[in-house]
Every structure is written in structure tokens, then in C-alpha cells.
Amino acid sequence: MSRTTRRSAAVLLTAGTAALVLAGCTSTAQPAAPSGGDAVGAPITVNATDAACEVSSVEAPAGNISFSIKNSGTKVTEFYLYGTGDRIMGEVENIGPGLSRNLIVEVPDGGDYTTACKPGMIGDGIRNAFTVTGTAARSVDTNAKLAEATAGYKRYVGSQIDALVPKTQEFVDAVKAGKVEEAKALFPVSRTYWERIEPVAESFGDLDPKMDGREDDEREPGVGFTGFHRLEKDLWVDGLQPDSATVADQLMADTKDLQTRVAPLEFTPVQLANGAKELLDEVATGKIEGEEDRYSHTDLWDFKGNLDGSQGAVAALRPVIDEKDPQLGPTLDQRFAAVDALLDEYREGDGYKSYLTLTEDDKKAMAAAVDALAEPISRVAGVVTS
């Protein structure tokens, strides 16, 4: 799902436009939080309103940096820490009015960074300069289990990309051949692999809007509606258009570009933990509401993909979780199983029923199960950095 021109998630490296300090930023120069190395220091507080992003400190030592974000505004908001070129170091989404969320980010290298609040979860947000001082050892360099966790997740991401490319090719070929029903059947299959690694895929700020943008997303002037959802609309609503084949070719080129960019990426344990939570946020903000696949109503396929991806990230971290909090792992197992069991009620053949078949009670039950899972997952980042 891409609500903005650069909607992306907690995991990873992105290229984009340079950060700008926008009007409405406020930041007091309080002492830096005492973080660094493997420890998590006292949280830097963030008071997010509809018109300001008040960060309690403009700097912190390198290492694990903790933010405590409170939404004091009237709109749902997001908080980001960006590196150079809008590289996303960490983010937390879907913070409702009056709610607070925590974010831990591993930043081993000192330098210039940017914080941003996004009231309404759109646009570039309200930004402010942020400095990280010194350097810190990377957690994977000093902890063999964390190193294996990140290596295992890298293998998982690679396997999903390796499946995404040929499945997208099959979808694109069907579109170009004018095989509408075949293309409709292939659409949710190809998206499953995208959804499993959505935090990684979305982190490339220039690719995400092209591949997964929605018709009503904000775009730069002259940039059209393309990618999966443009073809979804062609197939289910408008019929194939004169430029559908061109859009399909571009989607395939962008998918291969994504594969090339993901290959050299390295992950941190905190990114895995944050990514697992972000995938559940994607479910809560897009799939349960039926907003993601508004033309095909194949949202439950995407829901399952996000759930699988979240579980994959947690599974990679499981040895560390079991070592540091023996109760958390079984709780996560139970909550994942509960959501899976609920989704299984809507299975149809190799896939899922249309989102339109869900009743309001069905949606409430799913939301409750996802919320119950989100709580223990939100503790994973703290556990792996403890």
C-alpha cells in the first residue's frame, strides 16, 4: 500500500529527495538521550500535533536510540527517522489521536539525520534536523545470534523476491495478451510475495509509488497512476486500456530493479522487529478496511502475505527472543495461530474469498485478533535490544 509518494516502512534503505526542514517544526535543545552501543537509552519524547513535531532533543549518541511518540493532534499520524537521501532508519505508523507509541532504531554511525511527523499520514511531513554523534558497534558484530537472525531474514527476503519476479512476469504476460480472467487470477498471487516483504519493498521511495501507488495518492506533477493497482483497475473496472501493456512492462522492469536493489541490503535486528510490527500496521490500516485492493477486493490475500512476512521476521529473531524473554515466544505463537485460524475461515480454493463477503462482525473479529498480536510484537524490539 502506498498512501503517499514516499510511503515506506521501517526496514531499510531508500533513495529519494533530500530532506527539507519544513515550516511547523519545533524542537527544543534538550540534552541528548544517553543511548549508545547495545543499550537503549532514555527515550526522546516526541509530541506530535496537527501543526508541529516537538522533539525533546536534537541529538543523540550513536547506538540504539529510543523515541516515545505521543499524538496530541486530531489526525492519525506517523513518525520517521530519516538518514541521508531520505533513507528510512525507522518509522512508526498509525498513531491515533491521544495514543502513544515507542520506536527503537539502531543507528551505529554518527551524522546528520531528520525526524518527521506526518499528521494525516500524507506528504513529506513536519521535519526537523537531528544529529547522531560518535559511532557505536553494530549489534550483529558482537552477538552471533543476532548476526544469524539478520542473515536468516536476508535469505527469507531473497527467496520472496526470487518468487515475486516470475509471478509478476506471469501476471504481466497475461495482461499484455489480453487474457483478462487469467490476469485477474494471477494478480493476488503475484502480490503475495510483495506483501510478505512490504517493509523492504516500500522502503525504496522512488519504486513504491510506481509499483504499489493508489489512484488518489499524492504525486509529483506529471507522474501518472501506474503499477499493480492501475492494472487492477483496468482489469476489474475500466477494461484494458491502450496503455495497459506499457504499464505492465514498466511494472516488470520495476520489479527486476527492486530485485537488484534488495540483493546487497543488510539488516539490523531492530529493523526486523520494527518491520514485523509495520506489517501488522499495514493489515490494520489497509487490509481490514478493504482499502488496499478496492477494485478486486482481494484484500485477504494481501492480509495473509503481511501476516506471513511478520511471522518470518519474528521467526528469524526467535532464538534471541527465547533467550531474553522465554514467555514472549509462546505468546507470539499463540497470537499468530489465532489470526491464521481466523483467516482460514475465509479460504476458498488456493486463495481467499472476496473482501465483500465479510460482515461488520467479521471485520471486528479480525481487527481484535490483529490488535492482540500487535501488542506482543511491539515488545520484540525492546527485547532484542535489552
Side-chain angles (χ1 to χ4, degrees):
M1 173 169 58
S2 178
R3 289 171 182 244
T4 73
T5 55
R6 275 201 304 276
R7 176 174 176 81
S8 45
V11 185
L12 281 228
L13 311 176
T14 179
T17 58
L20 300 174
V21 178
L22 303 181
C25 296
T26 57
S27 179
T28 55
Q30 295 182 4
S35 63
D38 291 335
V40 180
I44 296 170
T45 62
V46 179
N47 184 36
T49 71
D50 295 347
C53 186
E54 300 168 349
V55 183
S56 66
S57 176
V58 296
E59 67 176 35
N64 291 320
I65 302 174
S66 176
F67 294 92
S68 178
I69 306 105
K70 180 178 182 180
N71 183 0
S72 300
T74 63
K75 302 176 181 177
V76 177
T77 194
E78 301 172 338
F79 176 77
Y80 290 76
L81 178 67
Y82 290 112
T84 302
D86 272 9
R87 175 166 55 101
I88 296 176
M89 307 303 296
E91 70 161 328
V92 58
E93 297 182 346
N94 196 31
I95 311 172
L99 299 181
S100 296
R101 294 278 297 274
N102 296 321
L103 173 67
I104 300 173
V105 187
E106 183 176 343
V107 187
D109 300 318
D112 296 328
Y113 295 82
T114 302
T115 58
C117 299
K118 294 189 180 181
M121 300 198 299
I122 59 174
D124 285 344
I126 303 168
R127 297 187 172 212
N128 195 33
F130 187 83
T131 301
V132 175
T133 59
T135 59
R138 287 166 169 76
S139 57
V140 295
D141 292 338
T142 58
N143 186 313
K145 287 185 177 179
L146 290 178
E148 176 52 34
T150 55
Y153 187 68
K154 182 179 174 71
R155 291 192 293 271
Y156 175 78
V157 170
S159 70
Q160 299 307 307
I161 287 283
D162 288 346
L164 173 66
V165 171
K167 290 301 178 184
T168 302
Q169 185 69 66
E170 291 176 13
F171 170 62
V172 163
D173 288 346
V175 170
K176 294 176 66 178
K179 299 178 179 178
V180 172
E181 294 306 315
E182 183 177 331
K184 284 182 175 180
L186 291 168
F187 172 78
V189 176
S190 58
R191 286 187 56 78
T192 293
Y193 301 99
W194 167 277
E195 296 291 340
R196 285 176 180 165
I197 57 167
E198 194 166 15
V200 180
E202 285 190 338
S203 67
F204 296 98
D206 57 333
L207 287 179
D208 177 46
K210 293 167 62 181
M211 298 178 67
D212 199 35
R214 308 301 301 273
E215 187 172 17
D216 52 359
D217 284 349
E218 294 181 1
R219 291 183 175 82
E220 300 293 336
V223 176
F225 174 35
T226 59
F228 279 114
H229 294 302
R230 159 60 199 278
L231 295 174
E232 177 195 8
K233 187 180 182 187
D234 289 356
L235 290 168
W236 271 272
V237 180
D238 295 333
L240 292 177
Q241 301 296 302
D243 66 342
S244 293
T246 302
V247 173
D249 280 337
Q250 187 60 54
L251 174 62
M252 196 63 243
D254 291 337
T255 303
K256 291 179 178 177
D257 187 9
L258 176 67
Q259 183 181 37
T260 300
R261 296 195 203 185
V262 165
L265 294 182
E266 298 295 339
F267 302 89
T268 71
V270 174
Q271 286 171 331
L272 270 62
N274 290 338
K277 180 64 171 61
E278 288 303 325
L279 283 164
L280 290 185
D281 288 344
E282 290 287 345
V283 172
T285 58
K287 283 69 177 183
I288 289 180
E289 298 298 323
E291 190 263 348
E292 177 75 19
D293 299 317
R294 64 182 70 166
Y295 311 114
S296 63
H297 308 296
T298 54
D299 303 86
L300 295 184
W301 290 71
D302 288 7
F303 185 151
K304 176 60 173 171
N306 285 161
L307 188 69
D308 287 347
S310 180
Q311 198 161 13
V314 169
L317 290 168
R318 186 60 182 270
V320 181
I321 295 171
D322 288 344
E323 179 182 72
K324 296 188 174 183
D325 186 346
Q327 302 301 314
L328 182 56
T331 299
L332 289 165
D333 291 342
Q334 181 185 48
R335 304 286 172 86
F336 271 118
V339 179
D340 251 337
L342 200 55
L343 267 177
D344 280 345
E345 296 179 16
Y346 303 95
R347 273 203 172 276
E348 187 174 68
D350 293 333
Y352 292 90
K353 295 179 180 177
S354 166
Y355 176 82
L356 296 179
T357 65
L358 271 61
T359 67
E360 289 303 314
D361 286 343
D362 292 335
K363 298 172 193 173
K364 288 178 182 177
M366 286 187 173
V370 170
D371 285 346
L373 173 58
E375 189 281 324
I377 283 189
S378 69
R379 289 190 271 138
V380 172
V383 169
V384 299
T385 56
S386 64

